[in-house]
Each structure stands twice: as C-alpha cells, then as structure tokens.
Amino acid sequence: MTLKDLADIMFPDVTLTVDEIEKRYPERDLEEGAEVTRFAPSPTGFVHMGSLLSAFQDFKLAKDTKGIFYLRIEDTDTLRTVENGISGIISDLANFDIYPDEGMISETESIGNYGPYIQSERKKIYHAYAKYLVEKGLAYPCFCSKESLDETRKIQELNKERIGYYGSYARCRTLSVDEAYEKIKNGEEFVVRFKSMGDFNNKITLNDRMRGKIEFPENDMDIVIIKSNDKLPTYHFAHAIDDHLMHTTTVMRGEEWIPSYPIHHDLFKTLGFKEPLYAHLGLVLKIDENGTRRKLSKRKDPEASVSFYHEKGIPPEATKLYLMTIANSNFEEWFLSNPTGKLTDFKMDFSKMSESGSLFDVEKLFNISKNYISRMTSQELYDKSLPWMEEYDKELFELMKKYSDYTKAIFNIERGGEKPRKDYASFSDIRGGIWYMYDELFKDVNYEYQKVTDIDEIKKILNLYFNEYYDINDDKDTWFSKMKEMTEKLGYASNMKDYKKNPENYKGNVADISTVIRVSITSRSQTPDLYEILKLLGIDRIKTRINMIK
Ligand code: GLU
C-alpha cells in the first residue's frame, strides 16, 4: 500500500485537486498596500461589543487602504450554530453601516469570487488539502479513542509534561501505511492529524502588528485537522486554508488565539502558504462600580450587546467614532482638533492600540454622540431620526411626518454655528426635548413653575405680556427689551446686578418672568431659546395654551 492508497481510502469522494483549487483563487488585483481583512464569526445570531470592535477595525483597515473587507461564517463548531444565526450578524453590522465588500449577505447568499464564504460549504476544499497532506506523508489518520487520549493526558499531568499529541505520545503517527489502511477498511473511526516536523527546542517569532515580537517554541503537536464525526475541519486548519485562498493580508482576532500561533505558523509553512500578518486584539473592558477593571459582560452590561445602540437610537456614525477612540489612543486628540472631521480622514494605527484591552465607557459614548448629533443640520437630524421613530416611537413618528417643516424648524433652534446646543445623546432623547411643541401631545401637562407659583400672579404676567408687549414680528433685541420693560413695570428687576445688590427691593427678576412665560407655554422650565419657541408656536396657539392654565 502506498500513501496515495491511504489518502484515497480516507477521502474516497475527493476528486478536486489542490492545484485546481489554487487556480480558482487567484491573487487579488488590488493596489499596492491594499489590505484584505475579514470578520469571521460563528453563526451565533448576534455580535457582541468585542466582536463589533474587531469587525469595525477590520472594516476600517480595508477602507483606509482601499482593500477588501469580507464576512466569513465559521460554522465548523456546530454547537455554536443557531438557526438564522447569519442574518442576525449581518443586521447587527448593518446597524453600524458596516457592509462587507464580499461574503455572506443573507442566510444563504453571498457576493464575491472567493467563496463559498461559509465553512461548512467548503468541506470539499479542506478535504482536498488534507488528502494532499496525507499523500505527502504530512498528515495521517489517528484512531486513538477518547479514553486512550484521556489516559495519555493523565500520564502527562502526573509526569508534569506538556499536554498533547506529540513525540512518543503520538501513537498513530508510527502506524504503517498498511496498518492504517487496514483499520479504515475495517470501518474504524478516525480523525486526521497533521504530522508536525517542528522541534519544541527551536524558537519562532510572531511579529504581531500591535504587540510587536513574541517568541514561542516551535510547534511539535500533531493537531487534529479534520474531525471524525462531521468530517469538518478544526479552526486551525480552516484558518490556514481559508485565509490563504481568500488572500487575507491581516488577521485581527482575539488575544486568546496567541498561544495557537505556533500551530498556525507550522501549518502555513508545511502547506507552502504565505502567512498573513496578525494583530491579536485585547479584551473589551469596563470599570466596575468599585473601580476594578473587568471584562465587559453580556449578562451584566446592557451596552455589551450591540442591539443596545440601535434601540437607544445612537447614530451609527457616533458609535463608530466612539469605537475609533477605544481602538486608537490618539484618535480622541485628533478628533478634538478636528471636531468636524470624518472617520475616513483618520487612519487607523496598530501602534496606538492597547494590548491590555480597550476600556469601554458608555458616558463617553453618549458625549461623543451628543456632539455628533449637535453638528447635524436639522434636515439631517430629521432624516436620520425618522426611521428610528418609526421603529421605536410611532406616535412621534406620525407627528414628525405630518408636520415635517415645523419639526425641522424645531430641530433648527440653536443649531448651526460655533456652539450648537447639545440636547440629544441619542434619538431616544428627542421626544423629551420637543414633545411640548405638538398640540397633540400638550395635554394634562405638569407645569414646572419655579419661583413664581401663584396662579393670579402668573395670569397677570401672561395677560400683560401677550396683550400689550409681545409682537411676533419683533426681532430678538426688541423682544428682549420689551420683556425687560414689562419686568420693571411689574416690580421685578430687569438688571441682574441691581437685583443681586438689593433683592428685597424687587418681587423677583427678569429670569423669573421669562420662566413664567416659558413654563406656561411649554410646561418645562428648561427649553431651547424662548424667542424661537414663541415664534414657532404663533400667537393663536400661545393663547390657547394660556387658556389651559387653571
Ligand atoms: N471564528 C473564530 C472566533 O470566533 C474567528 C477567529 C479569527 O478571526 O480567526 O473566534
């Protein structure tokens, strides 16, 4: 029996050759320096914050370099697969405007020429490479039972030796081709193991793009490359084959993969593949109530789930700005000096990533979002918040649609200019800031009167003001002078300095008067510019509102 016979009986269905496959995945035609990156989740139905950060960084690197970012679904661990688990991932990414250039675009469809982009559909490809390795004597079938492997592990633990399938512990490595062939012919179950030529006493170095040089002993483990039950590849083998064929240039993945690097190095070398560059990303952390750093937890922290941002109505661009601040330590400073700068103007830098993990701070995110929303035009805010309202606040959605110009005019109050008003950290804050501008919502309100609460005094102020002073056509200066004039007439101070010197001489001051007007018209003691609000409401609606006060 030859190795070829053994390979044939191990993979009777494989007809594809490695050469044929290689031809189907030619070099990509990209500009010099263009990076090919991928997001490679299991189809678990959702993306959590840590993976979103890594998907964002993959996406960003590809965009920064005019490269390709693709979505590959890694479903070789069937335990992690859920029904419709791909769509959930795609829609989570889409909520942040992260659209892959290639890869899965729905549960079953994909775009791009380097597919299939779902590992279970690439079985034939993995088998062809595994068969090729067997033919070359670089892989072999292993028949060791779980019990015998457990036994080996116990001995290794007892002897304080390295755990694994290597050296004299790699029992099936020394089976003759005839013996192995016979066992398969007799229907014995087997896995396929890689035959490592490595020596544990040699050193290899990973030049991680973010962590720099990391030294390891060479791999000498005969790791499983094809599993026995479903004949699917292990992560290690699929990683090597896929990232080679799809021409990934930089693999960004969690730091938990660092110890596996020697295996990957061994596989790439043996298969004759060019190794991609690696960046092993740190964890996403948060500071706990008691000041300690801990991993962001899906169970404890609502912000760990990416649906949180969509449900709250944080604009995707704001979340991405935030992700950039935790990805690169120099981004925040850049953004402060370029407050209107776009993410596309900033290039991601591996040397500015934190090895020890990215600290997640929701308050900071809200701040960024507040700034971001404050810089939108009223039209932009209207266009971007409307779909969110349709999903989460139908009532306000209908009003915003019915009174679209009016709504944009409301949004426009104190917007634009150097120091725009920062009211909204998310679209879910909008209702609280504008509801009183719609008569449909201005019912059974709770008036937040402050200093002046006597209803007769309030009525007196309102009647005098709206009957004798207020003129909708006044410009802002005239409007304010008139307000002061009336203030004095009523025995309140129009000048704050005078008031502060001798408060006992006055009933109150001009701020108390404007608060009475503000609260009477809106019910709120804090609103954007009163002059603009009065203008937008118009005198008829103002009068109706005054009549509502009992
Ligand atoms: N499917 C792997 C995981 O979820 C991907 C790791 C990688 O990006 O290579 O951990």
Side-chain angles (χ1 to χ4, degrees):
M1 288 294 155
T2 63
L3 284 170
K4 170 100 182 48
D5 297 323
L6 179 61
D8 281 340
I9 195 169
M10 284 168 78
F11 297 101
D13 304 329
V14 172
T15 49
L16 261 178
T17 69
V18 162
D19 281 346
E20 283 163 347
I21 299 171
E22 294 281 330
K23 283 205 187 80
R24 277 179 32 202
Y25 295 85
E27 278 297 336
R28 290 169 179 275
D29 186 16
L30 294 171
E31 276 178 31
E32 176 87 31
E35 296 264 4
V36 180
T37 60
R38 84 294 194 280
F39 178 46
S42 300
T44 51
F46 65 90
V47 177
H48 64 74
M49 217 45 214
S51 348
L52 181 72
L53 180 61
S54 90
F56 166 72
Q57 293 177 133
D58 285 313
F59 171 78
K60 177 81 178 121
L61 182 62
K63 295 294 142 199
D64 280 355
T65 58
K66 300 203 179 70
I68 298 283
F69 164 66
Y70 68 90
L71 173 63
R72 181 171 75 220
I73 298 297
E74 305 210 332
D75 59 345
T76 58
D77 180 356
T78 40
L79 290 177
R80 296 188 67 197
T81 300
V82 302
E83 210 179 323
N84 296 324
I86 303 177
S87 335
I89 289 172
I90 293 170
S91 81
D92 276 352
L93 294 180
N95 279 336
F96 295 92
D97 289 342
I98 298 179
Y99 295 99
D101 303 305
E102 278 178 21
M104 299 310 288
I105 52 162
S106 75
E107 213 54 53
T108 51
E109 299 151 298
S110 66
I111 49 170
N113 297 327
Y114 288 79
Y117 294 91
I118 173 161
Q119 289 182 328
S120 55
E121 286 174 24
R122 301 174 61 76
K123 216 165 169 173
K124 276 193 195 142
I125 297 174
Y126 306 121
H127 288 188
Y129 281 91
K131 183 172 185 183
Y132 162 85
L133 288 177
V134 173
E135 280 173 18
K136 296 256 172 210
L138 296 168
Y140 59 90
C142 168
F143 307 91
C144 289
S145 63
K146 189 178 170 304
E147 291 70 33
S148 90
L149 293 174
D150 285 347
E151 195 55 37
T152 305
R153 165 185 284 268
K154 274 192 206 128
I155 296 168
Q156 289 169 336
E157 276 169 357
L158 218 65
N159 296 345
K160 300 207 168 19
E161 289 175 310
R162 289 184 295 127
I163 309 294
Y165 205 81
Y166 61 95
S168 58
Y169 293 114
R171 259 170 292 130
C172 292
R173 185 177 170 125
T174 49
L175 283 179
S176 71
V177 171
D178 287 345
E179 281 170 313
Y181 188 94
E182 209 48 39
K183 280 175 180 284
I184 294 174
K185 214 172 115 196
N186 293 337
E188 276 193 47
E189 282 285 301
F190 65 92
V191 297
V192 185
R193 284 189 187 271
F194 174 61
K195 193 186 241 176
S196 175
M197 298 299 168
D199 177 347
F200 189 69
N201 296 312
N202 290 342
K203 293 272 179 274
I204 59 157
T205 306
L206 160 65
N207 204 348
D208 190 286
R209 290 195 76 173
M210 150 189 173
R211 294 165 193 265
K213 288 191 174 11
I214 308 175
E215 209 176 69
F216 302 87
E218 204 169 59
N219 175 60
D220 63 349
M221 300 274 168
D222 286 356
I223 55 125
V224 175
I225 56 175
I226 302 284
K227 299 180 277 181
S228 74
N229 49 348
D230 48 20
K231 299 282 174 218
L232 280 168
T234 52
Y235 167 78
H236 307 304
F237 196 51
H239 157 50
I241 308 287
D242 292 350
D243 285 312
H244 159 67
L245 291 176
M246 298 177 184
H247 299 277
T248 309
T249 58
T250 294
V251 167
M252 280 186 243
R253 60 184 180 186
E255 62 184 7
E256 66 276 16
W257 293 110
I258 294 177
S260 306
Y261 172 73
I263 294 173
H264 303 155
H265 176 76
D266 203 358
L267 282 169
F268 275 86
K269 197 171 86 182
T270 304
L271 285 158
F273 298 163
K274 179 168 183 274
E275 219 175 271
L277 297 172
Y278 290 93
H280 289 93
L281 308 172
L283 296 172
V284 176
L285 306 168
K286 88 175 248 172
I287 299 202
D288 223 338
E289 305 74 54
N290 44 28
T292 48
R293 283 179 177 226
R294 64 163 170 81
K295 206 175 150 185
L296 196 66
S297 138
K298 215 174 69 210
R299 210 164 33 81
K300 289 193 223 151
D301 311 310
E303 72 270 29
S305 139
V306 301
S307 53
F308 170 83
Y309 305 87
H310 182 63
E311 282 160 20
K312 263 214 153 316
I314 294 173
E317 188 68 18
T319 310
K320 287 201 282 189
L321 289 171
Y322 179 64
L323 291 178
M324 199 66 240
T325 65
I326 53 176
N328 264 189
S329 56
N330 56 332
F331 177 73
E332 207 168 345
E333 209 184 303
W334 178 88
F335 195 49
L336 278 175
S337 43
N338 298 277
T340 52
K342 294 232 167 353
L343 208 48
T344 42
D345 302 332
F346 179 86
K347 295 257 178 290
M348 191 169 77
D349 182 348
F350 283 99
S351 71
K352 298 285 194 269
M353 289 182 185
S354 162
E355 287 174 34
S356 54
S358 314
L359 202 56
F360 204 82
D361 177 353
V362 173
E363 285 313 314
K364 206 164 176 179
L365 165 67
F366 287 156
N367 252 327
I368 288 182
S369 185
K370 231 179 213 172
N371 275 311
Y372 179 76
I373 294 178
S374 78
R375 287 180 203 284
M376 287 180 175
T377 62
S378 56
Q379 180 73 46
E380 276 166 352
L381 179 56
Y382 181 83
D383 292 342
K384 295 200 178 192
S385 60
L386 198 66
W388 186 87
M389 294 297 166
E390 185 169 19
E391 200 171 344
Y392 295 100
D393 190 343
K394 271 267 177 328
E395 186 181 38
L396 192 54
F397 168 74
E398 295 300 343
L399 292 169
M400 282 174 64
K401 233 176 45 172
K402 184 165 169 197
Y403 307 112
S404 61
D405 287 341
Y406 176 69
T407 302
K408 281 178 240 172
I410 302 170
F411 284 159
N412 211 30
I413 301 175
E414 292 181 63
R415 190 163 287 276
E418 281 292 294
K419 281 206 154 84
R421 193 178 167 94
K422 294 174 185 171
D423 279 347
Y424 314 128
S426 64
F427 299 144
S428 54
D429 291 341
I430 290 179
R431 174 181 266 267
I434 68 169
W435 64 271
Y436 53 81
M437 295 301 284
Y438 302 94
D439 295 338
E440 288 83 344
L441 303 179
F442 199 78
K443 284 178 190 141
D444 303 323
V445 296
N446 173 29
Y447 294 97
E448 295 174 353
Y449 287 116
Q450 303 290 304
K451 188 156 156 196
V452 183
T453 50
D454 177 63
I455 195 71
D456 294 333
E457 180 72 0
I458 289 169
K459 286 274 186 188
K460 191 168 134 200
I461 295 170
L462 294 172
N463 285 331
L464 185 64
Y465 183 65
F466 286 106
N467 291 332
E468 290 180 30
Y469 287 87
Y470 184 71
D471 180 346
I472 197 159
N473 297 314
D474 283 343
D475 63 23
K476 198 159 177 189
D477 287 342
T478 316
W479 173 81
F480 195 54
S481 315
K482 282 187 177 175
M483 172 96 68
K484 280 172 143 179
E485 218 181 295
M486 184 188 77
T487 302
E488 304 229 326
K489 186 163 182 183
L490 286 168
Y492 290 70
S494 67
N495 180 308
M496 282 314 247
K497 267 199 202 134
D498 294 347
Y499 178 71
K500 277 191 187 137
K501 253 188 255 159
N502 299 303
E504 64 288 350
N505 291 352
Y506 304 96
K507 289 210 261 175
N509 62 52
V510 65
D512 300 323
I513 294 289
S514 64
T515 299
V516 166
I517 298 168
R518 187 188 306 274
V519 176
S520 303
I521 303 307
T522 66
S523 81
R524 306 279 310 266
S525 59
Q526 303 280 338
T527 71
D529 193 78
L530 182 58
Y531 169 79
E532 299 287 347
I533 288 180
L534 295 176
K535 248 180 137 60
L536 274 180
L537 285 170
I539 196 68
D540 293 344
R541 291 169 66 208
I542 290 174
K543 293 223 156 126
T544 314
R545 288 186 178 202
I546 291 175
N547 288 333
M548 285 165 72
I549 301 166
K550 293 274 158 357

